[in-house]
Amino acid sequence: MMEMPGYDGHPLVHEPELLQEPLFWLGHLYSCAHDEVAEELLFGADYEAAEVFHRELRERAEWPVFTIPLAAGHLFHVVHRAWKDDPGVDYLLHHPSWERALLLAKVDGHFMGPALSWPELFSAVDNGLPGGSTADPHRRLLLLLPALGDDNIPDDAEHRLMSALSVLTAIEAPEELAAALVEGQGSGGASRWTSRNGVRVDDGAYSYRNPSNGFALTPEDLARVSTAFMP
């Protein structure tokens, strides 16, 4: 069992082997498919198999956790919250010197986020640091995509996403799906990012990184997050 300060009392288990399962990615990316066309491209003929796979995942006692190491010892955790009546995915940032992990996004029926801009996502995807659940850029990209929200789309975003979908899933039209997912902008839609005194913030109405929100992270924690995801 894993322990994460500030996220106590949950049966967290590191399960990187799930990242080898093509059906895992279909359910993980479901929140990024914002219309029926995108859903059909994502699930295709595998809808029923993916539904069974993720229902069994939600009904387990353990909550699968995947970790991506970041610069200076920071760790970004992706937790599949396996509550039967309230399933979801939580994205948390932690450092061994901190008293608690910081919740940056919740992907469920009450989405909170986004957690990441495109440059921050690619920084985490490409850093190659060992010690986490996977160093594979394709798997890291799909793991983090639901926590993204950034309307400033890089030129290579669709191509990189198409490559990841082609390698890790049996989706029949990865190019079309990649275009739909990039347009959909993660689980919560697009956000606009700016930098204030070196601290990256966004304008999302449900974002912990928007200092205008009453539930936002403290200024100190906002700075910590920016440092951890520094491109």
Side-chain angles (χ1 to χ4, degrees):
M1 290 289 181
M2 290 180 59
E3 293 185 4
M4 198 183 309
Y7 197 79
D8 305 315
H10 304 307
L12 306 178
V13 179
H14 186 224
E15 294 197 58
E17 61 273 13
L18 285 173
L19 304 182
Q20 311 296 326
E21 171 55 62
L23 291 176
F24 170 81
W25 297 113
L26 304 188
H28 182 75
L29 296 173
Y30 172 68
S31 63
C32 300
H34 294 296
D35 55 42
E36 292 183 4
V37 173
E39 286 187 24
E40 177 61 28
L41 288 169
L42 177 62
F43 289 105
D46 290 324
Y47 180 86
E48 291 186 4
E51 185 179 37
V52 171
F53 180 89
H54 280 272
R55 182 171 66 247
E56 293 176 350
L57 193 64
R58 292 194 300 269
E59 292 176 348
R60 294 169 47 185
E62 301 85 7
W63 294 12
V65 181
F66 314 101
T67 300
I68 296 177
L70 304 175
H74 295 89
L75 299 171
F76 199 35
H77 300 292
V78 182
V79 180
H80 267 252
R81 187 177 353 109
W83 271 333
K84 184 177 181 180
D85 297 327
D86 186 25
V89 183
D90 295 338
Y91 289 82
L92 302 106
L93 179 67
H94 188 237
H95 188 277
S97 66
W98 298 355
E99 294 183 357
R100 60 183 178 84
L102 301 177
L103 179 63
L104 300 188
K106 293 175 59 178
V107 180
D108 54 24
H110 305 281
F111 175 80
M112 299 294 291
L116 300 166
S117 64
W118 279 109
E120 292 170 332
L121 183 146
F122 284 150
S123 175
V125 165
D126 295 332
N127 67 37
L129 292 171
S133 302
T134 178
D136 175 38
H138 292 320
R139 288 180 171 84
R140 289 188 175 190
L141 176 55
L142 296 192
L143 262 180
L144 299 186
L145 187 69
L148 169 79
D150 184 354
D151 62 4
N152 188 15
I153 302 172
D155 293 339
D156 61 345
E158 284 189 24
H159 176 75
R160 295 193 59 169
L161 184 52
M162 178 196 69
S163 297
L165 294 170
S166 298
V167 170
L168 299 179
T169 75
I171 289 167
E172 295 183 358
E175 186 172 3
E176 292 179 47
L177 179 59
L181 296 182
V182 168
E183 181 180 0
Q185 286 289 298
S187 298
S191 229
R192 180 174 178 270
W193 292 83
T194 55
S195 182
R196 301 180 184 179
N197 300 319
V199 177
R200 289 187 64 80
V201 298
D202 76 307
D203 63 355
Y206 304 103
S207 175
Y208 297 109
R209 298 184 66 183
N210 179 356
S212 298
N213 292 330
F215 50 82
L217 297 173
T218 66
E220 179 183 10
D221 285 340
L222 288 172
R224 286 174 167 179
V225 175
S226 292
T227 298
F229 286 107
M230 190 70 68

